[in-house]
Amino acid sequence: MKEIILVKLGEIVLKGLNRRSFEDILLKNIRRRIGSFGKFDVTERQSTIAVVPHEGADLDGAEERIAKIFGIATYSRACETQKEIGAICSCTADYLRRELLGVKSFKVECKRSDKKFPLNSPQICAEVGRFLLKQFPNLHVDVIEPEYTVRVEVRDFAAYVHGNARRGAGGIPVGTGGRAAVLISGGIDSPVAAWMMARRGVELTAVHFASPPYTSERAEQKAADLLRRVGEYAGHMTMFTVPFAKIQEEIKEKCPEDLFTIIMRRFMMRASEQIAHREGCEALITGESLGQVASQTLQAIVCTDESARMPVFRPLIGMDKVEIIDYARRIDTYDLSILPYEDCCTVFTPRHPRTRPALKFVEVAEEALDVDALVSDCVERAKITKIEPNR
């Protein structure tokens, strides 16, 4: 019995003349991401990608990894068999035996891509259905609301049998949407924002701000661990850890307390933009949600954006906290995000932050600082960490 994985494409099929380039990148991503589980043949056949293991390859591990690759709508473990109706019927009964013994109703669906096959799709469904009813007395046919659906695909080179397809990660392949730098903290929001932009094909570079001795090494490690979980979907990336305590001390000493947070955010944008330029990125990404905290009001965001020339993407901007937490749980970052290791954003938090800062007053306050020198210094001292996805 030859078992493979069949991968169905998502919105890639709508890409028109650009479709081939999207498919090529997806094939490359699949090969790279499952390579540690053994040798596989990964080929595209009639809008379906077949992942065929060589002897000794770990198909379970490959399936787990495929579930987290962007660009895949659904995937199925399937049994490959000869293109002959008797072989198809026998394969269906043998391969899906456990599932069929556990249900009472079923139906058969068929896709016949090979139009030379002597039976059409309804005839194949009828033949397979009759065979299964004889083999499994517990079953009856229900084409409206079956407990289980048997799927048969007759393609150019073979026939395939499988059960219900499983949902993939969706989106489009990483590497088709350009590059961007994400400002990553240890909180709930920024890892979700990173995941969302990777889901739109964006390759990520991460920028994390650390403030030793006010923050511990565990806070930096937490950010790296969060990125590794995001990396299970987004692939490998680089994290720049920017030393930020000196800038925060300067702001605290020389600027009005109620403007501390907004001025700090503007410095973060400037430093991130410098790193983004060096890394060939075309945009910045943040995890801000409108109105969630004082630095995320509309007026504060306007002041923040003015400090950067690059576009700033905020994929969470219209979400509430409950929605963001739901996504964090879905991508398995929530439990890490709530660990009690303070990040630099909690250092020197003002008692009464300005929620509606005026840009002209912020710019006047910044005149007390040597902005360019402070930004250049922290960027030059940034530590580089290579982030590989969790295995």
Side-chain angles (χ1 to χ4, degrees), residues 188 226 229 324-339:
I188 296 171
L226 285 167
R229 293 198 180 177
I324 298 169
I325 289 172
D326 285 344
Y327 272 104
R329 288 195 168 111
R330 173 180 169 184
I331 65 175
D332 198 29
T333 56
Y334 179 74
D335 62 325
L336 280 178
S337 293
I338 61 175
L339 292 176

Side-chain angles (χ1 to χ4, degrees), residues 106-232:
F106 82 108
K107 72 173 181 178
V108 181
E109 292 183 351
C110 178
K111 180 177 181 180
R112 187 188 66 147
S113 300
D114 180 4
K115 303 307 180 185
K116 296 179 181 180
F117 192 76
L119 301 179
N120 61 28
S121 293
Q123 290 171 331
I124 295 170
C125 290
E127 290 293 330
V128 173
R130 275 194 291 268
F131 185 84
L132 294 178
L133 286 171
K134 292 178 182 178
Q135 297 292 313
F136 300 92
N138 57 298
L139 292 178
H140 69 270
V141 175
D142 184 346
V143 298
I144 305 301
E145 294 183 348
E147 291 182 64
Y148 192 77
T149 300
V150 173
R151 291 178 166 83
V152 178
E153 301 185 31
V154 181
R155 297 185 170 273
D156 285 350
F157 302 105
Y160 304 94
V161 171
H162 60 91
N164 295 326
R166 297 174 183 175
R167 181 181 177 185
I172 57 178
V174 172
T176 61
R179 296 177 60 86
V182 58
L183 282 70
I184 190 84
S185 69
I188 296 171
D189 302 341
S190 56
V192 175
W195 178 87
M196 285 188 159
M197 293 306 298
R199 194 167 185 258
R200 301 313 305 162
V202 175
E203 290 187 72
L204 300 175
T205 293
V207 183
H208 175 68
F209 293 88
S211 297
Y214 306 105
T215 58
S216 69
E217 291 184 3
R218 290 183 299 179
E220 180 183 343
Q221 184 60 50
K222 176 183 173 183
D225 290 342
L226 285 167
L227 287 173
R228 288 187 184 94
R229 293 198 180 177
V230 173
E232 292 179 17

Side-chain angles (χ1 to χ4, degrees), residues 265-337:
R265 293 290 297 175
R266 283 165 61 86
F267 270 90
M268 287 179 172
M269 300 299 276
R270 293 179 179 114
S272 299
E273 187 174 49
Q274 281 197 18
I275 292 170
H277 276 302
R278 291 184 185 182
E279 293 299 297
C281 299
E282 300 165 291
L284 303 176
I285 303 166
T286 76
E288 291 164 304
S289 171
L290 188 62
Q292 188 175 122
V293 295
S295 64
Q296 296 176 22
T297 64
L298 185 58
Q299 295 85 352
I301 288 173
V302 168
C303 286
T304 300
D305 277 4
E306 194 277 336
S307 64
R309 295 180 179 86
M310 278 186 172
V312 182
F313 295 137
R314 295 179 171 88
L316 313 185
I317 195 68
M319 293 187 181
D320 63 32
K321 200 66 177 183
V322 173
E323 292 172 307
I324 298 169
I325 289 172
D326 285 344
Y327 272 104
R329 288 195 168 111
R330 173 180 169 184
I331 65 175
D332 198 29
T333 56
Y334 179 74
D335 62 325
L336 280 178
S337 293

